[in-house]
Every structure is written in structure tokens, then in C-alpha cells.
Amino acid sequence: MLRLFRVWSLQALARHPWQSAAAVCAVMLGVALAFAVHTINASALEEFAQATRSINGTPDLQLRSAQGHLDERLYPLLAREPEVARASPVLELQLQASGPDAAQAATAIRVLGVDALLLPATAPELMPRPWTSLPSGRLTLFAPATVYLNAQARRTLALPEAPQEAPTITLRRGLEQFSVRVAGTVAAGSAPLAVMDIGAAQDLFGLAGSLSRIDLQLRQGVVRSNFTERMALRADWPSGLVWADAQAAGQRMDALSRAYRVNLSVLALVALFTGAFLVFSVLSLSVAQRSSAFALLAVLGATPQQRLRLVLLESATLGVLGSAAGVVLGTALAAGALRLLGGDLGGGYFSGAEPALQWSALAAAGYGALGVLAALLGGWWPARTAQALPPAQTLKGLHSAGAQPPSARLGVGLLGLGALLACAPAVAGLPLAAYLSVGALLLGGIALLPSGAALLLKALGAGSRRQPLVMLALERARRTPNLAAVAVGGVVASLALAVALTVMVTSFRGSMVAWLDAVLPAPLYLRGAAADGEQAFS
């Protein structure tokens, strides 16, 4: 008999396809937004981490200058330290590159001057690989004005993979132009990249004696903090130098993108809340319409717990359908966003090639379970209503089948809690209390809807006594304010999603503009057209 009850319960959803579809779509939207944001961010951070590893290798420390370039005389000083296993000098420039086709637009390219003899041990993916179709000798790696490009640079500059003659490209730094020949490839991925001998790079760009950084690999057992403190105490150690952790760049990119990720994640939670409320609305009206059927089931032997499980089964079904569709839609949204906008959704945080989609089955299951949980929470109250139906009174038409409305005190308490949370400070730079405040205010407003609807209907009913049809409709709604509140609450929750989107976008934009006004007070800045904007005109 329980199996027949379950079949009947699922058939009830099929009898109301439009209402069920609305609830499924709402859950699907919330899961899709949340899963897409997670997938996009994971893909972008993984791509950035891989690019950093391939370009920097695996150094323990990086020595940079607080401003400008390093003096290359620091390199032998560090290389002779007993705690240092390897020291690798690097000269890095952000330039513009043009291919042989004069009609092709210039593209940003990163040029690395490195010591090829150290690359196999420090950054093997940067090791130049000469083209076999070109004549080469033992000194090709150190040839002047010769570069080796990665795959992204070759595609961007429209160069062949195995040319018979070395193609020539033009590098631009401000108004200066440098003509270089391409002699081969490197395996490093990410954004367009050119690798050349560090001595040849210094001669070509007029930077003799200058370095961008020195990468250090320490011997086993050496503590980085102790090493940097000892170096700072040396009498011949210059000021204005900065030690950087090799993982600091990835952490900086994660921090920069945190603002938009948090806002989009909260928006996804608002969408999930809307989905839960629509599930609540659909099941509340469905239970009200089927009150006599539930009473008949009780007469036939269905226990209150079985009636509770029947409605929860309906809500779980809506949640599973919405979550499965949401994971598929979220994957499609993430793939499309990565292809069209990049890993930062056009925000400019992650520069480079299009990140590969990092799809995680564990994350998909987690966000799918979150959608099902939201649907179950939305169906809990209607399920309790079905559980508490008195069979005899319901069959006689003497019982109102709608869910019992919450107390007005609960709504007032939630509004007060929301006002208090709005004044709470941020936690780790995130306004978590403010997000909870928005949720409490929304729930408090919905909890006050039955009382508000009853007062409004009572006021309208006083002026409609001369119109029987209007009076009958208002009297029906007045005697079941809970059902009227459910219908109005769906509109409130849906409108809240639109308002939340508008407020979050406006707040984020306003905060960004205020930050830019404080950091960049001048009305106009001129910089070189580099990939990350670090190379400015001098």
C-alpha cells in the first residue's frame, strides 16, 4: 500500500506541471549559479597556478626590488651562500609583439631572459627546443636577438609549427622596436610567452647589469625565515629589496577575485532560497487542494508519518530534478563563460589563455545535495500540515487545509534580528553578518505576510458589502490568510532575487570606484600596453 501511496504522490506533481516546473526551474537556477561560480573560479585559479609553476619553476624564495630592477651583482653573492642550492637570474619584460603579417594587430607578450644552463633543474618547461627544420648549433640557445615561443604565442602571431626559415617578429617597448628571430618553442603554457638568453636580452633591451628577480632553491632543512633574516643583517646587503614566496602570486589572485566570487555565491544562495520558497508555495497549495485525499488516505490506514514522508518525497523529487538540471546548466554556463569572458568573467584579475574547465564530481554532488536540501526545507512545512490533518473534520469540510501561519511575533523578532546583524562588523573582511541580516529581514517580512494580508483583506471587505461577488472572494481569502500569504510570498521571494542582484552589482561597482579614486587620484594615467599593466613608460 505504501508503494501505491508514493505513486499517487508523484502523480500529483504531474497534475500541476506548470507549478512543478516553476519550482524545478528555481532550484535549477540556484544550483546552476552556485556550481558555475565554483567551477569558473577553480578553473581560473588552477590555470594561473599551472602557468606560475611552468614559468617560475619551483623556487623556495624570490628576491625582487621594491622599485625598478635588481643589480645583477647580487646574483653571485647569493649563489655563493652555503644555504642556497641553486640561484637563477631572471629578466622579465612585458612588451607588445607583432608577427610577419603587418595587418595583424599587436599582442601583449611576456619576454623572459633566463640562463638556459640552469633551466633543466629550475624550470624545465622553459627550456628552449630549437626547431629541427632549422640549422642549429651548440650555441643556438645563446644567440643574440633570438627567442623561443610557447604555443599560445605562436597561435596569436600566426606562426607555422615547423618553418623552413626562421620567422621574424617585432617587439615593442613604448616607442622602441626590436626585431628578433624565432628559433624554436618552449613547453610552458598560459599567456603568450617568449624565452631568450638573459645576456642576449640585456644587450637587446639596453638593460646591462639589471635583473627583474632572482629565484632561489634552498638546501634541505634550511628555514626560509631564518635565511632572509640573516641576509638582511649583512653589512653589504642593500636596502629596498623584497623577499617573496613563490606561492604569493596565486594567493594574491585568489584575494583579488574573492569579492566577485563572494557576491556571486551569495546571489546563488538567494536563488536557492527562492527555489525553496517556490517549492513551499507549490506544495502548500497542492496539500490544500488534496486535503480530502490525504484524509481519505488516513482513513485507509496511512499514518501521519507516512503522510509526512509522502510530501517530503514530492519535495525531494522536485529538488533532485532541479539539482540535476542545475549541475548540467552550471557546467554549460561555466564552459561558456570561460570561453567568452575568461576565468574572471571579464574582471581583469587573471590574464592569460582560456582556462581549461576543471569539473569536479565531488563539487557537483555537493551543490546537487545543497539543491535537494533547499527543496526539502521548502517542503517541510507543507509536509507537517499534511501530517497534522484531522481525517474526520477534513472529510466533512470543517478543517482549513492551509499551513498554519507563523506568529506575528516571529516576524517582528526576525526583523529586529536583521537590524542588529546589519550593524555587526565584518569577519575576515567579509560582511557575513550583513548577508545574514538580509536573510533575516526577508524571512521576517514573509512571516508577517499572513497578518498583513488579514488586515488588508479586512479593510477591503468593509467597503465591498454591496458587491456580493467581490465580498465572497474577499471573505474566502480573509478566512484563509495563510494561502493568500503563500501566493504573495512567492512574488516577494522572486522580487527579492532581482533586488539582491541590483544591490550587489551596484554595491560592488561603487566600492570599486571608491577604491580606484583613492588609489589612482590623477585624472589620467599613461601605461605601456602590457598584459598585466606592470610596465609603465619612463
Side-chain angles (χ1 to χ4, degrees):
M1 180 178 293
L2 183 58
R3 182 177 299 177
L4 293 177
F5 289 167
R6 291 175 180 173
V7 173
W8 171 81
S9 182
L10 295 179
Q11 286 178 346
L13 296 178
R15 297 191 191 101
H16 303 86
W18 293 109
Q19 295 89 332
S20 301
V24 170
C25 289
V27 175
M28 176 187 68
L29 178 61
V31 173
L33 284 175
F35 185 59
V37 171
H38 170 83
T39 304
I40 290 171
N41 179 66
S43 302
L45 289 178
E46 179 62 24
E47 177 70 17
F48 183 83
Q50 289 179 359
T52 302
R53 288 193 298 268
S54 64
I55 293 176
N56 295 344
T58 55
D60 297 312
L61 288 173
Q62 292 181 340
L63 179 64
R64 297 177 179 269
S65 175
Q67 187 175 4
H69 291 90
L70 287 173
D71 191 332
E72 70 173 7
R73 289 177 294 182
L74 289 170
Y75 169 66
L77 186 149
L78 289 171
R80 289 194 295 263
E81 287 295 318
E83 295 95 333
V84 176
R86 295 182 184 88
S88 178
V90 179
L91 178 62
E92 181 176 350
L93 298 170
Q94 295 286 353
L95 305 178
Q96 291 288 305
S98 300
D101 187 1
Q104 187 180 17
T107 183
I109 190 170
R110 175 181 292 182
V111 179
L112 289 182
V114 294
D115 187 348
L117 299 180
L118 296 174
L119 288 179
T122 57
E125 294 192 21
L126 291 180
M127 188 66 193
R129 299 180 296 183
W131 276 317
T132 56
S133 58
L134 300 179
S136 61
R138 290 183 296 177
L139 300 180
T140 303
L141 300 179
F142 313 101
T146 301
V147 298
Y148 298 82
L149 304 180
N150 68 346
Q152 183 67 22
R154 295 198 311 273
R155 287 193 297 267
T156 304
L157 298 174
L159 299 180
E161 294 187 2
Q164 299 301 317
E165 296 183 0
T168 301
I169 64 174
T170 301
L171 301 178
R172 292 183 177 87
R173 181 180 61 181
L175 298 178
E176 298 178 287
Q177 294 188 8
F178 310 91
S179 180
V180 298
R181 61 188 292 268
V182 181
T185 63
V186 294
S190 186
L193 174 69
V195 177
M196 62 187 306
D197 176 65
I198 187 169
Q202 290 174 331
D203 294 339
L204 179 64
F205 301 112
L207 295 174
S210 298
L211 300 175
S212 297
R213 69 175 192 268
I214 300 176
D215 295 341
L216 299 180
Q217 289 183 347
L218 303 179
R219 297 189 184 277
Q220 187 175 3
V222 177
V223 181
R224 287 178 291 185
S225 59
N226 295 340
F227 174 77
T228 56
E229 290 175 1
R230 188 181 67 79
M231 295 300 298
L233 294 176
R234 292 185 52 151
D236 57 347
W237 191 251
S239 59
L241 301 182
V242 178
W243 292 102
D245 191 337
Q247 304 300 325
Q251 296 173 358
R252 185 172 66 253
M253 290 300 105
D254 181 76
L256 283 175
S257 65
R258 186 177 68 164
Y260 90 89
R261 286 187 287 113
V262 169
N263 280 276
L264 290 177
S265 298
V266 173
L267 177 62
L269 293 179
V270 174
L272 271 179
F273 171 79
T274 305
F277 195 85
L278 287 180
V279 170
F280 162 72
S281 301
V282 169
L283 293 182
S284 294
L285 296 176
S286 176
V287 169
Q289 293 172 354
R290 293 179 292 157
S291 58
S292 58
F294 277 109
L296 181 59
L297 288 178
V299 173
L300 294 176
T303 65
Q305 289 297 326
Q306 288 176 336
R307 300 199 299 271
L308 174 74
R309 288 196 292 266
L310 284 179
V311 180
L312 290 179
L313 174 63
E314 296 179 12
S315 62
T317 302
L318 295 175
V320 169
L321 294 176
S323 297
V327 169
V328 175
L329 179 60
T331 303
L333 287 175
L338 290 174
R339 179 177 298 275
L340 298 176
L341 302 176
D344 53 6
L345 300 180
Y349 303 112
F350 305 102
S351 60
E354 173 190 328
L357 182 68
Q358 301 291 329
W359 194 88
S360 171
L362 182 62
Y367 283 100
L370 189 62
V372 175
L373 177 62
L376 287 174
L377 291 176
W380 175 252
W381 200 346
R384 290 297 302 269
T385 302
Q387 180 188 28
L389 280 176
Q393 295 183 8
T394 303
L395 288 176
K396 295 177 181 179
L398 301 177
H399 178 74
S400 177
Q404 294 299 321
S407 172
R409 295 180 180 178
L410 175 61
V412 174
L414 287 173
L415 292 179
L417 177 62
L420 292 177
L421 289 174
C423 301
V427 179
L430 296 177
L432 300 180
Y435 295 134
L436 295 176
S437 172
V438 172
L441 292 174
L442 182 58
L443 290 175
I446 292 175
L448 288 176
L449 281 177
S451 301
L455 294 176
L456 179 61
L457 292 171
K458 183 178 180 180
L460 293 176
S464 62
R465 296 177 180 177
R466 297 182 179 181
Q467 300 179 7
L469 292 179
V470 176
M471 183 182 65
L472 181 62
L474 292 177
E475 187 67 17
R476 166 64 178 170
R478 188 179 67 83
R479 292 183 179 274
T480 56
N482 46 344
L483 296 181
V486 167
V488 176
V491 178
V492 171
S494 301
L495 183 62
L497 177 61
V499 173
L501 174 61
T502 304
V503 171
M504 287 181 184
V505 172
T506 304
S507 301
F508 183 69
R509 182 179 180 86
S511 301
M512 181 63 70
V513 170
W515 178 77
L516 288 176
D517 290 340
V519 176
L520 305 174
L524 183 65
Y525 286 84
L526 180 63
R527 288 184 178 271
D532 57 4
E534 292 180 357
Q535 286 296 120
F537 289 120
S538 59

